[in-house]
Amino acid sequence: EAGVAQSPRYKIIEKRQSVAFWCNPISGHATLYWYQQILGQGPKLLIQFQNNGVVDDSQLPKDRFSAERLKGVDSTLKIQPAKLEDSAVYLCATLASLAGGGGTQYFGPGTRLTVL
Amino acid sequence: AQSVSQHNHHVILSEAASLELGCNYSYGGTVNLFWYVQYPGQHLQLLLKYFSGDPLVKGIKGFEAEFIKSKFSFNLRKPSVQWSDTAEYFCAVIPVSSYKLIFGSGTRLLVRP
């Protein structure tokens, strides 16, 4: 079974520039998450999709971050404009089903963003 | 607010030593519990999980964890660590009511050969 794919793996930009990350979930997984993992911390949820609808974006800094999941498959996360504190690893995770209160999430390799 | 606490940020052990990593969560309702591991240069992988039933769960590579509901704890254990267990370990909780996975800050384990 193919895993969660993310690209690019690494990105270096200057502050105030824009950047976009892409995620391709495991086939058939309806639920998709984006997390931000700052060095030395655990991943923090940014946004959750169920198919192509947003379930939870309460922790997404909407003034600069946006995400979409067109057609309920691939997803993109965008930062515009980037700040120094956005330097982190951005993780995509997918879940087959929310049955039982939330099952096992499968994580992609992440995109390491450095903002200079 | 719901949170997960991992008490040890860095642990250094010699091979064959026993391991116990603490994890406590703050939520009074039903939860699903997970331990994830991140080996150097690799992505997060599921080590083990608890949804219901026997509170002592066994995972991959000889790891196990015990859910103690009264203590809101889900500690990870391994009787004899190996150099290849060097990694960062994350405890995570899903409060069943919210479907949101909440991570602890992680514990970096270094096993010396």
Side-chain angles (χ1 to χ4, degrees), chain B residues 56-81:
Chain B
L56 182 63
V57 291
K58 295 190 184 299
I60 60 172
K61 303 185 181 184
F63 286 91
E64 65 179 30
E66 184 175 14
F67 172 47
I68 304 179
K69 189 174 182 179
S70 61
K71 295 185 177 180
F72 300 92
S73 70
F74 190 54
N75 292 354
L76 181 70
R77 298 194 292 250
K78 185 171 184 178
S80 178
V81 294

Side-chain angles (χ1 to χ4, degrees), chain B residues 17-43:
Chain B
S18 63
L19 171 72
E20 180 160 4
L21 301 183
C23 173
N24 287 90
Y25 63 93
S26 64
Y27 181 71
T30 302
V31 294
N32 293 338
L33 299 145
F34 305 81
W35 275 96
Y36 281 86
V37 60
Q38 189 166 28
Y39 297 103
Q42 297 187 28
H43 57 274

Side-chain angles (χ1 to χ4, degrees), chain B residues 83-100:
Chain B
W83 174 79
S84 57
D85 294 325
T86 293
E88 189 159 17
Y89 294 81
F90 292 94
C91 181
V93 169
I94 290 183
V96 168
S97 61
S98 75
Y99 302 105
K100 289 167 62 172

